[in-house]
Amino acid sequence: MRRALITGITGQDGSYLAELLLAKGYEVHGIVRRASTFTTERIDHIYQDPHESHLRLKLHYGDLSDGTGLRRVLEMARPEEVYNLGAQSHVRVSFDQPEYTADIVGTGTLRLLEALRDYTQNTGRQVKLYQAGSSEMFGAAPPPQGETTAFYPRSPYAVGKVAGYWFSVNYREAYGLFVCNGILFNHESPRRGETFVTRKITRAVGRIKMGLQDRLFLGNLDAKRDWGFAGDFVEGMWRMLQQDEPDDYVLATGEAHSVREFLDLAFAHAGLAPEAHVEFDPRYLRPTEVDHLLGDPSKAREKLGWTPKVGFEELVRMMVDNDMELARRERTLKDAGHLVSTQAER
Ligand code: NDP
Ligand code: GDR
């Protein structure tokens, strides 16, 4: 049985990737952080009783700040493939927590590479690594952006990702490690974290429709992003590691839309007008913004045979429909006298 290890398994991408690998017959190991509350909501549906020995999904405590722990997990999991998805992944928050973000996103990648270097040397086994790079690394570089576009990062998060990218290239060249950098443009889903703009909008649409919220505060509506569906993108990550040679690939849809377009479409899908609810709040602006990301996915199409299946409008509808249903359930709870949080502004 093939074995894979995922850092960031509790995140949006980690959950879709775990599903994909389990469906392909892998034994999947995931690293989870200790927290005072459960963080496994996105994978609860595939994680059963840990006391059953035959289970193919196994979780280990660990953290990208803790190199010793990463080494120990590698030895326990003995994976053939490792997917490094763990990150403080919020761009705006990275301006509030720059050192922490750089430590996890940049140095955390280095810790994992160091652990892998020793593990492969000591065991003689080859391990393939997927490194989660980001279109944020292009930052202010004019669109369209592809594998040969020079990076111009615009946030501590993006600088950390550029470091992770180059650490990965260096370990590939210096030690012959099989490392692929995926340079992924934004990808969303009903499992997207609720403080990213797409999900923040679709959650608000559902809650406004159900009378649970009235206003939605947003920042810059003019930024343009190349938004795809996370389920399609994890398939591309897996394909990178099935190649004979390691390489770096952009995954994108090749189509960009503004935050305003996303907003208009999401509200229209629920029969709502954004003007009646949306207000500007400068707290959501970034000190340096990324204005326009538009990816060129032709290399991934040609070499990996990868193309995204879900288009922009279908993505918006999928997320709104999901969040309408979620809000409907919240409304039922509220009507039954249970406490439903009043959507703190984030
Ligand atoms: P999420 O924010 O949804 O998930 C991040 C994951 O990383 C969570 O499992 C989180 O754990 C974990 N994590 C956070 N800090 C640490 C740490 N110190 N040590 C170990 N794990 C940690 O991100 P996505 O799923 O959206 O993204 C996956 C990866 O891809 C990230 O690296 C992100 O930067 C990158 N990326 C994402 C894109 C996107 O559009 N989604 C585009 C390009 C790149 P916990 O649940 O405990 O918080
Ligand atoms: P991004 O995603 O920064 O592209 O990073 P996010 O959804 O946070 O922002 C997209 C754009 O929307 C604008 N915006 C707002 N953003 C948030 N979060 N909240 C708001 O209220 C708001 N109003 C306007 C932002 O200014 C920005 O221009 C995501 C993350 O998943 C990264 O980890 C990943 O690397 C990149 O995508 C590719």
Side-chain angles (χ1 to χ4, degrees):
M1 193 186 295
R2 297 170 80 183
R3 283 184 303 275
L5 172 65
I6 305 175
T7 74
I9 194 168
T10 55
Q12 171 189 255
D13 290 7
S15 67
Y16 282 108
L17 181 64
E19 278 174 7
L20 179 84
L21 296 178
L22 287 171
K24 289 185 184 296
Y26 282 69
E27 179 176 288
V28 177
H29 294 254
I31 293 184
V32 294
R33 298 193 292 168
R34 194 271 156 183
S36 66
T37 52
F38 288 118
T39 57
T40 51
E41 194 184 340
R42 292 188 180 98
I43 51 170
D44 280 345
H45 62 292
I46 47 173
Y47 186 62
Q48 293 139 5
D49 185 346
H51 305 100
E52 305 273 339
S53 57
H54 65 276
L55 290 183
R56 285 195 291 118
L57 175 58
K58 297 171 195 288
L59 301 182
H60 309 264
Y61 281 116
D63 199 299
L64 284 159
S65 64
D66 175 10
T68 315
L70 294 176
R71 286 163 187 269
R72 204 171 292 131
V73 173
L74 269 181
E75 278 158 21
M76 280 192 287
R78 293 178 292 116
E80 284 106 49
E81 295 173 15
V82 177
Y83 296 84
N84 185 30
L85 310 183
Q88 188 304 90
S89 73
H90 202 284
V91 174
R92 177 66 193 82
V93 171
S94 80
F95 289 98
D96 301 328
Q97 294 193 285
E99 276 184 41
Y100 172 72
T101 304
D103 185 50
I104 301 310
V105 172
T107 312
T109 304
L110 178 62
R111 288 187 190 101
L112 185 59
L113 286 163
E114 273 288 87
L116 275 171
R117 173 161 78 112
D118 289 346
Y119 177 79
T120 51
Q121 220 161 44
N122 296 341
T123 61
R125 298 196 182 108
Q126 195 200 42
V127 184
K128 295 180 170 184
L129 174 68
Y130 171 83
Q131 165 58 18
S134 164
S135 52
E136 282 294 301
M137 300 190 299
F138 297 126
Q145 297 95 359
E147 289 85 359
T148 56
T149 304
F151 297 140
Y152 187 163
R154 295 268 283 174
S155 64
Y157 166 80
V159 175
K161 282 290 182 190
V162 171
Y165 173 94
W166 284 114
F167 282 137
S168 300
V169 171
N170 183 240
Y171 274 59
R172 186 165 69 205
E173 294 172 354
Y175 307 113
L177 288 187
F178 190 112
V179 188
C180 295
N181 283 294
I183 308 176
L184 272 54
F185 283 64
N186 298 53
H187 44 278
E188 320 292 311
S189 74
R191 295 185 203 163
R192 184 56 142 156
E194 295 188 22
T195 60
F196 297 98
V197 77
T198 55
R199 189 79 200 287
K200 184 173 169 183
I201 291 170
T202 60
R203 274 298 265 150
V205 165
R207 294 174 63 90
I208 290 168
K209 190 77 181 172
M210 294 298 149
L212 295 165
Q213 180 179 340
D214 185 41
R215 295 183 303 169
L216 168 62
F217 290 91
L218 293 172
N220 175 21
L221 303 185
D222 296 320
K224 289 188 171 151
R225 291 290 183 274
D226 180 331
W227 278 297
F229 170 54
D232 289 341
F233 281 56
V234 298
E235 165 82 27
M237 296 175 187
W238 177 78
R239 286 190 186 212
M240 287 180 211
L241 296 199
Q242 309 317 306
Q243 305 305 302
D244 292 333
E245 297 298 328
D247 204 347
D248 306 324
Y249 299 90
V250 160
L251 297 185
T253 70
E255 201 180 299
H257 297 271
S258 65
V259 174
R260 193 185 308 279
E261 284 174 78
F262 191 104
L263 179 72
D264 288 345
L265 207 57
F267 272 72
H269 187 52
L272 295 168
E275 310 80 67
H277 304 280
V278 176
E279 292 182 34
F280 172 71
D281 187 335
R283 110 173 55 172
Y284 301 114
L285 298 178
R286 286 117 200 242
T288 38
E289 174 64 293
V290 169
D291 294 322
H292 193 170
L293 292 175
L294 169 65
D296 172 5
S298 41
K299 180 175 172 183
R301 191 170 51 235
E302 282 153 27
K303 297 220 162 138
L304 305 176
W306 179 85
T307 44
K309 297 183 186 75
V310 177
F312 179 67
E313 294 187 7
E314 189 182 347
L315 175 68
V316 176
R317 282 197 302 272
M318 179 202 294
M319 293 177 69
V320 172
D321 289 344
N322 176 82
D323 287 340
M324 293 277 272
E325 180 52 35
L326 212 56
R328 202 167 285 128
R329 279 187 242 149
E330 286 177 343
R331 181 78 243 182
T332 308
L333 282 175
K334 189 162 190 220
D335 291 345
H338 296 286
L339 198 62
V340 171
S341 77
T342 50
Q343 186 72 0
E345 288 150 17
R346 294 177 272 206

